[in-house]
Amino acid sequence: MAEGLRERKKRQTRQYISDMATGLFLERGFDAVTIAEIAEASDVSVNTVYNYFPAKEDLFLDRGKALVDRLSRFVRARRAGESAAVAVLRELREEVESVSPQIGLAEGFDRFMKVVNGSAALQARLSSLQREQYDELVATLRRETGAADDDPMPGLMAGQIDWVHQTLMAAIVREMTAGREPAVVSREMLVLLDEMEDLLSEKVLNYAVRAAE
């Protein structure tokens, strides 16, 4: 369905407010910037800001919903004959190989992380999103396999997949905040993914295989 004019304007307004807020956060730090200042910079009211972003943290981590659904999306889109873990590994490799800014492989990512590390509120929100991501993955694996509510396997498998993702992201953050070149970090992260795959058991690598059509 094509996006209507009203929906497009709302999306553009939301993005503009987010961009203005991010600029202020990068310049002065998250805790030093108020919602009133963001509203003034965006030429909207404070209520308008809250209509689009219920909490101040949402202005900086404005892709929270996409982050929560990230691993589940990879699993749902797995190919015929592909397991949940193998699908996630493939998707992560593709992002790393393309030197994707979405996973922090971009100049300026160190500035983003400096803001996060300078705010306890942002760190808490990021941790909360990561927990939600794991919980959503457990629910997705349960649905995809038809596992019973008391079956521990979806949670165990989600833990292994989540470990791969969190370890990769932590390594990217560490290397990029150290001032490394994105292309160089990309090559090193591909090696790391291979090493992590070698550590996964066959049971993990063959869990939730999608049947051939």
Side-chain angles (χ1 to χ4, degrees), residues 88-100 103 105 164 168 171-172 175 182-198:
V88 171
L89 285 163
R90 174 178 54 77
E91 294 276 6
L92 293 177
R93 282 194 179 94
E94 289 175 1
E95 290 182 331
V96 172
E97 285 176 346
S98 66
V99 196
S100 172
I103 54 172
L105 293 173
V164 170
L168 173 69
I172 290 174
E175 298 304 322
V184 175
V185 175
S186 169
R187 291 193 292 272
E188 293 176 355
M189 294 306 104
L190 288 174
V191 173
L192 177 63
L193 281 169
D194 287 344
E195 292 174 341
M196 286 192 287
E197 182 171 2
D198 287 343

Side-chain angles (χ1 to χ4, degrees), residues 9-191:
K9 290 186 68 175
K10 288 177 65 176
R11 175 176 56 78
Q12 291 171 340
T13 299
R14 186 183 192 282
Q15 188 61 55
Y16 182 69
I17 295 171
S18 176
D19 290 345
M20 296 303 294
T22 298
L24 291 172
F25 294 147
L26 291 173
E27 179 183 348
R28 295 166 48 197
F30 181 79
D31 296 335
V33 178
T34 68
I35 293 294
E37 289 172 325
I38 293 168
E40 182 178 3
S42 306
D43 197 26
V44 298
S45 69
V46 169
N47 284 341
T48 298
V49 175
Y50 279 121
N51 284 340
Y52 286 99
F53 302 94
K56 184 181 172 184
E57 292 82 2
D58 297 325
L59 281 155
F60 195 68
L61 301 171
D62 62 336
R63 296 181 176 88
K65 289 183 179 179
L67 176 62
V68 168
D69 190 52
R70 174 174 164 76
L71 299 181
S72 292
R73 185 173 69 252
F74 294 165
V75 170
R76 291 194 302 269
R78 68 195 186 284
R79 300 165 180 171
E82 196 172 50
S83 72
V86 170
V88 171
L89 285 163
R90 174 178 54 77
E91 294 276 6
L92 293 177
R93 282 194 179 94
E94 289 175 1
E95 290 182 331
V96 172
E97 285 176 346
S98 66
V99 196
S100 172
Q102 295 297 322
I103 54 172
L105 293 173
E107 300 293 341
F109 183 66
D110 57 326
R111 296 181 63 206
F112 175 90
M113 288 309 305
K114 182 179 180 181
V115 175
V116 173
N117 292 333
S119 170
L122 282 179
Q123 292 178 52
R125 173 56 64 88
L126 190 57
S127 295
S128 177
L129 290 171
Q130 290 168 344
R131 289 193 298 273
E132 290 179 44
Q133 183 185 70
Y134 166 78
D135 291 340
E136 182 63 26
L137 180 58
V138 174
T140 296
L141 290 174
R142 199 173 297 283
R143 287 192 299 270
E144 292 288 314
T145 61
D149 291 343
D150 60 351
D151 187 343
M153 200 56 65
L156 295 173
M157 294 298 174
Q160 296 294 301
I161 295 171
D162 187 62
W163 165 74
V164 170
H165 182 252
Q166 296 300 337
T167 301
L168 173 69
M169 295 309 301
I172 290 174
V173 168
R174 182 180 64 249
E175 298 304 322
M176 291 303 298
T177 53
R180 306 286 305 286
E181 290 291 327
V184 175
V185 175
S186 169
R187 291 193 292 272
E188 293 176 355
M189 294 306 104
L190 288 174
V191 173

